[in-house]
């Protein structure tokens, strides 16, 4: 046995080791494999081997110790769990022998988690369940979970939507206080807010939307004048009926945006507000915030002003009807329109044409990419995917909204602060690759400084007409940074504008709703609860999560629909390339599927500069926007990924077709 002195020496040794140990704080990053990384606060990534990754969860804050591994490399060893933010997750309930587990669907948790007998809530094998971490795996790598709710089984109608809501922690019902607030509003509430507002109920405002749209938030009219037109954009004004910092406003901030899930949207505001009392329905008085602006003959913007008003829409018009009017087609519904509405629509078309011409010359227009509409059956699964044609009426509305939003951005910029949407152009971490791309394939553009707003705009405009060996503009477009919310005005490089914001969808986006509050506070001293920097970041993160949720559900539904495809050849273009293969978007329905390099003859290398896959021996190339013919081979249900087989591809080096691998 050790004597007292020896024990004291041992304790001191342990203390010395602990005090001399160098630990590094960081955040756990997961991968598709069993290993992971810790992104250290100092900027480095440290490899976590599988046995260490078992002790942590994605996003955990930890202290690690670095130690030597094979071939002179280092790896991390978990020293201490500082914080774990992953509390709830969804997964599939599994039984193996006597053990009950959940297989998480949350990316990065690549293990089954044990569920103790008392925490199973009667779940059965293959149930989708909503769970909570019951015991963190930090001690021994063996975490535990408990079932909070059974979501349902595969194949049940609407299970995809229910699962997505649970997976992204999205509420499908309203808190009691929000519902009570909404129920307390009525048509009389509108009447009570008409004082001190301009009466524009006699003017020929109309809404232009899809036939099924119920939350109509913009109405338009235009009149000619000596130097162009007066364009008037009336936007629904929910801030008139919703008190600042009230339960409905707090819930709208929490949701950040309406999510347009296929078949059944998830609204930002209760239906009684968004589709009834604030929706600009025809033939009823509605409260609006109006932007009146001068559009000059060359499409430039002149003076503008904002007004609180009451309108009475003269019609809910469809895009198709307005497009027919623009094209001069004979239509009974067109003939039934009042003269003042027809005249206004004709002027709106002229305004939009001028606005678009100005933007094409002085700013940047987004490319028209084919869009598709998902039609669901009674089981809430896709029965049909059909093209969604963008016509002149869509472009008319788009130009009017962009013009109004530019005015709002200019106004807030004059106040020195507000809420803006900035876009920094190309990603900073791709600067070297982009420079090499231009030097190699468009040397005449290599001296343009794309890090500046003017330089980026010049580069993208020059690329439109560029005749190069690779699709330079398409490559650049896939390396753009993400747009961000900002309290300070900054360029929106993606649109080629000095500043931009949006206020034209206040029933659907909280950022637009908040811009209404800002404009009213500046012009009419209306009350407002300002958003601080942290709240702005949270709002942006919630918007991003909403897009992820919508994409996740759509991907699932499309993967299931793909199982109805035959093996008949289908044409499409390569939409994205990765080292393991390339994705193809079909012309007929917009579905995207993956062609693996494993299914092609020979080995390919990925070029991060041109985003090409190049055959190591014969030089065969696959690149974005290349036309290919593929056939359907199956669906990876775990990844919900559609898989294709290459039938033939446009030969981009010789102009001849090659048979697929």
């Amino acid at each position: 046995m050790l004597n007292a002195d020896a024990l004291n020496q041992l304790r001191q040794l342990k203390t010395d080791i602990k005090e001399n140990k160098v630990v590094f704080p960081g955040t756990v990053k997961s991968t598709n494999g069993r290993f992971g990384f810790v992104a250290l606060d100092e900027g480095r990534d440290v490899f976590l081997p599988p046995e260490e990754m078992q002790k942590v969860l994605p996003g955990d804050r930890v202290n690690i110790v670095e130690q030597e591994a094979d071939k002179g490399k280092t790896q991390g060893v978990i020293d201490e769990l500082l914080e774990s933010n992953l509390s709830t997750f969804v997964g599939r309930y599994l039984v193996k022998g006597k053990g009950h587990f959940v297989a998480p669907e949350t990316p990065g948790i690549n293990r089954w988690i044990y569920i103790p007998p008392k925490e199973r809530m009667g779940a059965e094998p293959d149930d989708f369940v909503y769970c909570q971490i019951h015991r963190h795996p930090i001690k021994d790598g063996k975490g535990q979970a408990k079932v909070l709710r059974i979501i349902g089984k595969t194949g049940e109608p609407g299970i995809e939507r229910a699962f997505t809501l649970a997976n992204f922690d999205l509420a499908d019902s309203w808190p009691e206080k929000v519902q009570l607030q909404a129920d307390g509003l009525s048509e009389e509430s509108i009447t009570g807010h008409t004082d001190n507002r301009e009466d524009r109920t006699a003017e020929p405002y109309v809404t232009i939307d899809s036939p099924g749209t119920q939350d109509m938030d913009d109405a338009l009219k235009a009149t000619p004048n000596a130097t162009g037109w007066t364009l008037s954009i009336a936007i629904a004004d929910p801030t008139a009926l919703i008190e600042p910092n009230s339960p409905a406003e707090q819930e709208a901030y929490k949701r950040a945006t309406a999510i347009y899930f296929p078949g059944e949207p998830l609204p930002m505001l209760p239906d009684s507000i968004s589709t009834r009392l604030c929706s600009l329905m025809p033939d009823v008085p509605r409260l609006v915030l109006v932007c009146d602006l001068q559009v000059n003959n060359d499409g430039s913007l002149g003076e503008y002003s904002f007004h609180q008003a009451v309108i009475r829409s003269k019609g809910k018009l469809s895009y198709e009807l307005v497009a027919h009017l623009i094209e001069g087609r004979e239509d009974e519904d067109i003939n039934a329109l009042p003269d003042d509405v027809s005249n206004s629509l004709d002027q709106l078309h002229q305004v939009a044409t001028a606005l678009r011409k100005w933007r094409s010359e002085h700013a940047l227009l987004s490319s028209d990419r084919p869009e598709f509409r998902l039609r669901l059956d009674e089981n809430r699964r896709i029965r049909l995917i059909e093209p969604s044609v963008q016509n002149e009426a869509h472009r008319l509305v788009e130009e009017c909204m962009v013009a109004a939003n530019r005015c709002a951005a200019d106004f807030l910029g004059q106040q020195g602060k507000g809420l803006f949407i900035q876009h920094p152009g190309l990603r900073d971490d791709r600067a070297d690759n982009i420079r090499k791309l231009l030097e190699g394939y468009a040397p005449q553009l290599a001296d343009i400084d794309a890090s500046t707003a003017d330089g980026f705009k010049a580069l993208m405009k020059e690329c439109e007409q560029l005749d190069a060996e690779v699709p330079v503009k398409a490559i650049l477009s896939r390396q753009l940074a993400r747009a961000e919310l900002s309290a300070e005005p900054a360029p929106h490089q993606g649109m080629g504008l000095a500043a931009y914001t949006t206020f034209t969808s206040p029933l659907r986006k909280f950022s637009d709703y908040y811009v209404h509050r800002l404009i009213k506070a500046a012009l009419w001293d209306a009350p407002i609860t300002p958003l601080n920097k942290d709240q702005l970041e949270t709002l942006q993160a919630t918007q991003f999560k909403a897009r992820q949720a919508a994409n996740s559900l759509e991907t699932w539904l499309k993967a299931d629909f793909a199982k109805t495809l035959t093996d008949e050849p289908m044409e499409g273009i390569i939409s994205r390339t990765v080292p393991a293969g390339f994705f193809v978007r079909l012309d007929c329905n917009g579905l995207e599927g993956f062609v693996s390099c494993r299914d092609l003859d020979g080995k390919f290398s990925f070029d991060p500069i041109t985003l090409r896959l190049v055959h190591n021996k014969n030089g065969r190339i696959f690149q974005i926007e290349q036309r290919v013919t593929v056939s359907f081979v199956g669906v990876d249900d775990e990844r919900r990924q559609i898989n294709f087989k290459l039938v033939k591809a446009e030969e981009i080096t010789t102009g001849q077709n090659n048979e697929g691998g």
Side-chain angles (χ1 to χ4, degrees):
M1 294 181 63
L2 296 174
N3 59 30
D5 287 342
L7 287 172
N8 286 333
Q9 289 175 3
L10 183 60
R11 292 191 190 101
Q12 185 61 45
L13 179 62
K14 289 182 177 179
T15 300
D16 291 343
I17 291 173
K18 186 174 182 180
E19 289 178 350
N20 293 326
K21 180 170 55 179
V22 179
V23 297
F24 300 92
T27 303
V28 174
K29 297 196 304 185
S30 60
T31 66
N32 290 329
R34 295 179 59 239
F35 62 90
F37 295 89
V38 174
L40 300 184
D41 293 352
E42 65 182 43
R44 294 186 295 127
D45 282 0
V46 176
F47 176 75
L48 274 187
E51 61 270 19
E52 293 299 312
M53 194 64 189
Q54 282 288 108
K55 301 177 185 177
V56 291
L57 300 169
D60 280 356
R61 292 281 300 161
V62 295
N63 277 336
I64 66 162
V65 176
E66 270 192 288
Q67 66 177 27
E68 285 193 19
D70 295 337
K71 299 179 181 178
K73 297 181 179 179
T74 63
Q75 64 184 31
V77 176
I78 302 298
D79 182 72
E80 181 184 9
L81 176 68
L82 302 176
E83 182 183 8
S84 184
N85 293 318
L86 180 62
S87 174
T88 57
F89 63 95
V90 296
R92 192 188 298 269
Y93 196 86
L94 303 172
V95 177
K96 185 175 183 181
K98 294 184 179 180
H100 290 233
F101 304 87
V102 57
E105 295 271 345
T106 299
I109 310 182
N110 302 318
R111 76 195 83 157
W112 293 2
I113 300 178
Y114 178 70
I115 302 179
K118 293 183 179 180
E119 309 296 347
R120 295 170 183 169
M121 283 192 65
E124 299 178 349
D126 288 332
D127 279 348
F128 284 119
V129 289
Y130 181 63
C131 297
Q132 184 177 52
I133 296 295
H134 186 52
R135 191 184 82 181
H136 196 281
I138 187 66
K139 290 185 178 180
D140 54 10
K142 297 178 181 179
Q144 294 184 3
K146 65 177 180 179
V147 177
L148 298 179
R149 185 171 79 249
I150 298 172
I151 302 170
K153 289 186 184 297
T154 300
E156 292 179 355
I159 185 63
E160 298 86 356
R161 184 178 187 274
F163 176 90
T164 302
L165 292 176
N167 192 23
F168 288 88
D169 285 316
L170 301 171
D172 201 18
S173 59
W174 300 103
E176 183 179 357
K177 290 183 179 179
V178 175
Q179 194 61 59
L180 285 173
Q181 182 179 352
D183 291 344
L185 297 172
S186 64
E187 293 289 341
E188 286 71 29
S189 304
I190 295 173
T191 306
H193 286 81
T194 56
D195 292 344
N196 301 320
R197 283 179 176 258
E198 296 180 20
D199 183 355
R200 299 194 179 188
T201 53
E203 299 182 21
Y205 288 100
V206 293
T207 62
I208 306 173
D209 275 294
S210 299
T213 301
Q214 298 299 316
D215 53 348
M216 295 167 287
D217 48 18
D218 58 84
L220 304 170
K221 78 178 185 73
T223 54
N225 57 43
T227 57
W229 304 266
T230 301
L231 173 62
S232 185
I233 304 101
I235 306 299
D237 189 7
T239 61
L241 298 183
I242 299 174
E243 293 295 322
N245 210 32
S246 64
E249 180 164 295
Q250 292 177 3
E251 183 68 13
Y253 167 76
K254 182 179 177 182
R255 296 189 177 209
T257 179
I259 306 177
Y260 286 87
F261 289 128
E264 187 178 355
L266 189 70
M268 184 186 78
L269 293 167
D271 284 345
S272 59
I273 296 175
S274 61
T275 67
R276 189 165 59 85
L277 294 176
C278 290
S279 179
L280 305 185
M281 301 185 296
D283 303 322
V284 291
R286 286 294 178 260
L287 307 177
V288 291
L289 180 62
V290 180
C291 177
D292 289 336
L293 64 138
Q294 170 67 26
V295 178
N296 298 319
N297 287 318
D298 63 355
S300 61
L301 304 186
E303 294 184 355
Y304 60 85
S305 57
F306 293 97
H307 309 265
Q308 296 182 94
V310 184
I311 69 163
R312 187 187 296 267
S313 170
K314 297 299 184 289
K316 178 188 176 185
L317 308 184
S318 69
Y319 289 114
E320 185 178 23
L321 177 69
V322 175
H324 287 176
L325 184 146
I326 292 171
E327 295 164 3
R329 297 192 192 183
E330 284 296 323
D331 189 305
E332 290 184 5
D333 291 331
I334 293 176
N335 295 334
L337 292 174
D339 289 343
D340 57 349
V341 170
S342 295
N343 292 336
S344 177
L345 289 170
D346 179 62
Q347 298 302 318
L348 282 168
H349 176 231
Q350 295 182 48
V351 170
T353 301
L355 288 169
R356 194 166 188 84
K357 183 175 183 294
W358 185 93
R359 283 213 298 145
S360 69
E361 294 173 354
H362 301 280
L364 293 174
L365 297 176
S366 57
S367 301
D368 285 337
R369 171 179 161 176
E371 296 185 9
F372 296 86
R373 183 180 295 111
L374 308 183
R375 300 295 191 187
L376 306 190
D377 60 20
E378 64 276 7
N379 293 317
R380 302 185 190 178
R381 294 188 179 87
I382 299 174
R383 64 174 175 81
L384 176 68
I385 301 178
E386 57 186 12
S388 177
V389 179
Q390 298 294 300
N391 57 38
E392 282 300 311
H394 289 91
R395 284 182 275 274
L396 182 158
V397 173
E398 177 188 2
E399 291 304 327
C400 292
M401 296 305 106
V402 170
N405 289 329
R406 287 169 59 195
C407 294
D410 182 76
F411 176 76
L412 293 182
Q414 293 180 33
Q415 313 309 308
K417 60 181 180 179
L419 190 150
F420 303 87
I421 303 173
Q422 63 175 11
H423 186 274
L426 297 166
R427 288 170 51 175
D428 290 338
D429 61 337
R430 302 294 175 86
D432 286 344
N433 285 346
I434 291 168
R435 176 180 52 79
K436 292 175 182 177
L437 172 73
L438 297 177
E439 288 175 351
Y441 297 92
Q444 68 273 36
L445 307 181
D447 291 336
I448 295 177
D449 183 3
S451 65
T452 68
D454 288 341
F456 176 82
K457 181 163 62 175
L459 176 62
M460 298 306 285
K461 280 187 170 296
E462 290 291 335
C463 286
E464 289 177 2
Q465 308 300 326
L466 187 65
D467 183 15
E469 183 182 333
V470 299
V472 174
K473 185 176 181 182
I475 295 170
L476 295 177
S477 297
R478 284 159 177 79
Q479 300 183 80
L480 297 177
R482 187 183 300 160
E484 301 171 345
L485 296 178
S486 170
E488 306 294 333
H492 191 299
Q493 294 193 30
M495 297 181 71
L497 297 172
Y500 195 66
T501 191
T502 56
F503 85 111
T504 52
S505 295
L507 303 178
R508 308 173 187 181
K509 294 194 298 181
F510 186 82
S511 54
D512 293 44
Y513 174 100
Y514 182 64
V515 171
H516 277 233
R517 289 269 188 235
L518 291 168
I519 292 173
K520 288 177 155 187
L523 287 176
W524 302 292
D525 202 25
I528 186 173
T529 303
L531 296 179
N532 60 38
K533 181 180 178 182
D534 289 343
Q535 289 173 315
L536 208 57
E537 290 177 353
T538 299
L539 179 64
Q540 180 167 291
T542 308
Q543 288 180 343
F544 181 63
K545 184 177 78 168
R547 287 194 294 271
Q548 286 182 306
N551 291 338
S552 176
L553 176 56
E554 193 168 303
T555 297
W556 189 347
L557 293 174
K558 286 180 175 179
D560 279 348
F561 176 77
K563 295 174 183 177
T564 67
L565 298 175
T566 67
D567 60 358
E568 289 294 313
M570 299 170 288
E571 294 187 356
I573 65 164
I574 295 178
S575 57
R576 185 159 58 99
T577 55
V578 294
F582 53 86
F583 290 86
V584 175
R585 184 170 62 247
L586 298 180
D587 297 339
C588 58
N589 53 26
L591 291 181
E592 288 202 343
F594 185 64
V595 176
S596 174
C597 285
R598 294 178 181 177
D599 299 327
L600 303 173
D601 288 336
K603 292 186 177 181
F604 287 79
S605 296
F606 179 73
D607 181 1
I609 295 172
T610 61
L611 307 185
R612 282 175 158 182
L613 286 163
V614 183
H615 195 283
N616 290 351
K617 290 185 178 180
N618 62 26
R620 188 183 189 191
I621 292 171
F622 294 107
Q623 69 179 27
I624 54 177
E625 295 203 336
Q626 182 179 353
R627 293 209 61 80
V628 294
T629 303
V630 296
S631 61
F632 173 71
V633 295
V635 172
D636 181 338
D637 285 320
E638 186 174 342
R639 296 183 180 181
R640 300 194 178 105
Q641 176 179 285
I642 302 168
N643 292 323
F644 292 146
K645 177 183 178 182
L646 181 68
V647 176
K648 63 180 180 180
E650 175 187 52
E651 177 55 66
I652 62 174
T653 55
T654 65
Q656 297 175 348
N657 285 341
N658 258 345
E659 292 304 314

